[in-house]
């Protein structure tokens, strides 16, 4: 078994908490459910296909689009310029 690589967060927990509080009233219910489902998944690890099923999107492409949309908003608020906005919310593994 290989050790799981530790990733340095792009922002600290307080910054994420502040951003999510700012977005709270405008956050679509499915975006909230995506975040909750991702967080509650074993080891916070979930596939886009599983996330789509849990949240009620028709397929993984819908989750990718919506997670990317949410990530872009978070990056804008945090002042982050990333090649892939979704990196602010997820680490990709193969």
């Amino acid at each position: 078994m290989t050790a799981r690589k530790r990733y340095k967060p792009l922002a600290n927990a307080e910054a994420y908490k502040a951003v999510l509080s700012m977005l709270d009233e405008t956050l679509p219910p499915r975006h909230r459910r995506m975040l909750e489902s991702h967080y509650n998944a074993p080891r916070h690890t979930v596939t886009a296909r599983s996330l789509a099923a849990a949240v009620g999107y028709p397929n993984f492409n819908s989750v990718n689009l919506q997670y990317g949309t949410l990530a872009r908003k978070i990056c804008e608020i945090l002042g982050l310029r990333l090649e892939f906005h979704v990196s602010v919310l997820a680490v990709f593994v193969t």
Side-chain angles (χ1 to χ4, degrees):
M1 176 185 258
T2 60
R4 195 169 165 174
K5 185 177 178 180
R6 301 292 286 170
Y7 293 91
K8 183 180 177 195
L10 297 169
N12 64 34
E14 288 302 313
Y16 279 105
K17 183 178 176 181
V19 168
L20 292 173
S21 291
M22 290 173 66
L23 293 174
D24 189 48
E25 290 188 20
T26 60
L27 196 64
R30 283 187 181 175
H31 285 193
R32 178 181 302 284
R33 288 198 313 265
M34 280 191 306
L35 292 173
E36 290 170 348
S37 293
H38 191 170
Y39 180 80
N40 290 322
R43 296 178 64 185
H44 311 301
T45 302
V46 65
T47 64
R49 182 171 281 119
S50 296
L51 201 52
V55 177
Y57 283 118
N59 55 49
F60 71 92
N61 290 317
S62 299
V63 165
N64 289 344
L65 174 65
Q66 295 305 316
Y67 228 45
T69 299
L70 176 57
R72 174 175 276 139
K73 287 179 188 176
I74 291 171
C75 284
E76 287 172 0
I77 293 168
L78 291 174
L80 296 173
R81 292 176 159 246
L82 304 175
E83 181 178 0
F84 301 105
H85 295 103
V86 76
S87 298
V88 76
L89 290 174
V91 174
F92 294 90
V93 295
T94 57

